[in-house]
Amino acid sequence: MERVPVLKIGDFLLVSIQIDMEDQTALQLQEDLAEKIVVTGCHGVIIDISALDIVDSFVGRTLATIASVSRVLDAETVVVGMRPAVAITLVELGLSLPGIRTALNVELAIEMLARTRTEAEMLLGDDDEDEADQAAVTTP
Amino acid sequence: MERVPVLKIGDFLLVSIQIDMEDQTALQLQEDLAEKIVVTGCHGVIIDISALDIVDSFVGRTLATIASVSRVLDAETVVVGMRPAVAITLVELGLSLPGIRTALNVELAIEMLARTRTEAEMLLGDDDEDEADQAAVTTP
């Protein structure tokens, strides 16, 4: 069975899906991701699908499940790199990936996640001003 | 033909190899990487091979070529995520990946690349002190 690697980069986990998603691969990825979120304490998951020609309902469901599991573990999921043709097909099929946030590329996803985090901290009235200032710099 | 995506993260390009390397895939990856180095001006290439069970002489040669091409374009290449079994097999086969730098994971590779960059700047007597200071913080 092939396994999709989960890479830790700073406060984020990055997954680049390149192989065809089968039942076992999808389940394994969900497990690996959930475990890695808990072990690393990361708050963001970025899933790159730029290698995928086709996103069918199974892949769509898998992405939605990953996003839900991550949310329960206090991590946001962003899907990046969707090809224009994939987006068109998805909508034509009636799959609009509800509950999944998207960004055009990894860097924009990191910005988006950092912004969400800062807003959450501001709502909580976080005392750690340095951290808030630092995060604010990255969000123009 | 399958294509390995090249992701830009800050000053680095990240490639996660998950599919079997065939002639065409390897050539395409070399081309994509070279083009992306030139377009983005990135100074580091990180190649994750944690998904690979086997690294044979063809993959070894491909990695060496990528590293050489990147060097000519002023970018350092670091291979990360090699499995212990892969390392043992490589050495047994007499392939020790000459000219290729390795790190255990993506974060250590980023640190390594940042350190090399800082040293290069210091040798050049770079006036931009802020930048040097900032980079020095990340290298304990």
Side-chain angles (χ1 to χ4, degrees):
Chain A
M1 192 197 60
E2 304 202 57
R3 205 161 171 162
V4 182
V6 179
L7 305 173
K8 179 175 183 292
I9 302 173
D11 193 31
F12 310 104
L13 296 176
L14 177 70
V15 179
S16 174
I17 299 181
Q18 296 168 30
I19 53 178
D20 287 335
M21 277 297 209
E22 284 160 26
D23 291 21
Q24 271 306 313
T25 323
L27 278 177
Q28 186 69 53
L29 176 58
Q30 283 169 26
E31 270 178 40
D32 287 351
L33 254 179
E35 203 180 300
K36 204 124 185 191
I37 291 172
V38 173
V39 170
T40 61
C42 283
H43 288 114
V45 174
I46 299 171
I47 302 179
D48 170 65
I49 59 167
S50 59
L52 298 186
D53 286 322
I54 300 161
V55 173
D56 57 14
S57 61
F58 177 70
V59 175
R61 250 197 334 272
T62 304
L63 293 176
T65 312
I66 287 175
S68 302
V69 172
S70 303
R71 200 169 301 126
V72 176
L73 296 171
D74 190 24
E76 284 285 323
T77 304
V78 184
V79 171
V80 304
M82 189 184 292
R83 300 190 190 178
V86 169
I88 292 167
T89 316
L90 271 178
V91 172
E92 280 176 357
L93 288 172
L95 302 166
S96 54
L97 302 184
I100 297 179
R101 301 169 72 188
T102 53
L104 282 185
N105 57 47
V106 177
E107 292 189 315
L108 292 173
I110 291 177
E111 260 181 44
M112 185 192 275
L113 288 168
R115 203 160 45 227
T116 316
R117 209 70 211 156
T118 321
E119 280 164 10
E121 274 162 11
M122 279 164 68
L123 276 175
L124 284 169
D126 198 332
D127 291 327
D128 195 347
E129 284 185 1
D130 283 352
E131 203 174 296
D133 285 346
Q134 218 173 358
V137 170
T138 62
T139 58
Chain B
M1 192 198 60
E2 305 201 57
R3 205 159 169 160
V4 181
V6 179
L7 306 173
K8 179 176 182 293
I9 303 172
D11 193 30
F12 311 103
L13 297 176
L14 177 69
V15 178
S16 174
I17 299 179
Q18 296 167 30
I19 54 178
D20 286 334
M21 277 297 208
E22 283 159 27
D23 290 21
Q24 270 306 312
T25 324
L27 277 177
Q28 186 69 54
L29 177 58
Q30 283 169 27
E31 270 178 39
D32 288 351
L33 254 178
E35 202 178 301
K36 206 125 185 193
I37 291 172
V38 173
V39 171
T40 61
C42 284
H43 288 113
V45 174
I46 299 172
I47 302 179
D48 169 65
I49 58 167
S50 58
L52 297 185
D53 286 323
I54 299 162
V55 172
D56 56 14
S57 61
F58 177 70
V59 175
R61 252 199 329 273
T62 305
L63 294 176
T65 311
I66 288 175
S68 301
V69 172
S70 304
R71 199 168 301 127
V72 176
L73 295 171
D74 191 24
E76 284 285 323
T77 304
V78 183
V79 170
V80 304
M82 189 184 292
R83 300 190 190 178
V86 169
I88 292 167
T89 316
L90 271 179
V91 173
E92 280 175 356
L93 288 172
L95 302 166
S96 54
L97 302 184
I100 298 179
R101 300 169 73 188
T102 53
L104 283 184
N105 57 47
V106 177
E107 292 189 316
L108 292 174
I110 292 177
E111 260 181 46
M112 186 193 275
L113 288 169
R115 201 160 46 224
T116 316
R117 209 69 211 155
T118 321
E119 280 164 11
E121 274 162 11
M122 278 164 68
L123 275 176
L124 285 170
D126 198 332
D127 290 329
D128 196 347
E129 283 186 1
D130 283 353
E131 203 174 295
D133 286 347
Q134 218 173 358
V137 171
T138 61
T139 58

